[in-house]
Amino acid sequence: MTEPAGRAGRGSRVAVLVAASVALAVVAIVAFSIGRLSTLADPTPVDASAEAGFARDMQVHHLQGVDLAMIVRDATDDDEVRRLAYDIATTQAQQAGQMYGWLSTWDLSQAGGEPSMTWMSRPAEGEAHDSHAATHTAGAPMPGLATPAQIEELRAATGVEAERRFLELMIVHHQGAVEMAEALLARSSNDVVVSLATSIVASQTSEIALMEQMLAERS
């Protein structure tokens, strides 16, 4: 899913956002149907479950990834970076739609009743409740999220400088997403949720290696 070379204009940006929004809506509908079927095998997650916390927090995480990708697409003419950014934006928008669909299927609030990261502050399956293995605090920032200052720095950059800053931020962003997905895998046996988390670990680990190579080429 690539576009002709050239700097993205306003029309290109709108087209990508519309495409991502349509994809998100379609995936949410499909996820709703799949979720209904999945309840035949898996118990429905409850509000304080790892599955619900993962769905809420990873949506936020993914949507920032979409924002970062759209920013760099407007800041560079480099085809390789623009293709990567487009793929990240569309993939993460689709996956966010899937997680939105899960919560709707489970009849759970999109916001939830607990601070973000609470699910990762609880022990994984098989760990004692007094275990210190959980490394996150309820309400703490999600791993890998860019700060507002970092986002503004990316917005102000252009060309190779923007490419480097984007790659630096997105490598850390992907590492955080992998950490969250692996935390879910240690806390859930829900087939649908485990499938997506496994896919995130595999795809984003691969993209981290690609981005590290791209960053080295621009150093």
Side-chain angles (χ1 to χ4, degrees), residues 36 44 102-109:
R36 287 296 186 193
T44 301
W102 292 344
L103 292 167
S104 296
T105 299
W106 301 334
D107 294 323
L108 298 178
S109 164

Side-chain angles (χ1 to χ4, degrees), residues 28-213:
I29 292 170
V30 173
F32 182 88
S33 301
I34 293 174
R36 287 296 186 193
L37 294 175
S38 72
T39 58
L40 298 176
D42 294 314
T44 301
V46 299
D47 189 71
S49 66
E51 293 86 358
F54 173 78
R56 291 169 180 137
D57 289 348
M58 192 61 89
Q59 278 190 72
V60 174
H61 204 274
H62 270 20
L63 292 176
Q64 187 189 76
V66 173
D67 288 342
L68 295 174
M70 296 307 300
I71 291 170
V72 80
R73 286 189 78 254
D74 284 348
T76 181
D77 293 330
D78 185 272
D79 287 342
E80 184 181 29
V81 174
R82 284 171 54 77
R83 281 194 298 269
L84 174 65
Y86 184 79
D87 287 344
I88 288 173
T90 53
T91 298
Q92 297 202 12
Q94 288 170 351
Q95 291 177 346
Q98 186 173 348
M99 290 180 278
Y100 183 99
W102 292 344
L103 292 167
S104 296
T105 299
W106 301 334
D107 294 323
L108 298 178
S109 164
Q110 295 293 329
E114 297 181 323
S116 64
M117 302 305 298
T118 298
W119 65 279
M120 278 183 70
S121 71
R122 298 188 177 108
E125 291 183 0
E127 293 177 353
H129 284 286
D130 60 353
S131 170
H132 295 288
T135 57
H136 291 278
T137 303
M142 296 173 207
L145 276 188
T147 66
Q150 288 172 326
I151 294 173
E152 288 308 309
E153 182 181 350
L154 177 60
R155 288 187 191 279
T158 58
V160 176
E161 180 186 356
E163 294 163 19
R164 284 197 295 261
R165 197 69 190 107
F166 167 74
L167 291 167
E168 290 167 349
L169 292 175
M170 192 56 74
I171 288 169
V172 175
H173 198 272
H174 271 25
Q175 289 169 339
V178 169
E179 182 180 348
M180 292 170 68
E182 288 178 337
L184 181 280
L185 293 174
R187 291 166 171 77
S188 176
S189 58
N190 182 289
D191 287 342
V192 175
V193 183
V194 165
S195 178
L196 179 61
T198 301
S199 174
I200 289 172
V201 171
S203 63
Q204 297 208 14
T205 298
S206 177
E207 286 183 344
I208 288 169
L210 171 63
M211 290 189 290
E212 287 176 338
Q213 178 182 341

Side-chain angles (χ1 to χ4, degrees), residues 19-31:
S21 298
V22 171
L24 189 152
V26 170
V27 173
I29 292 170
V30 173

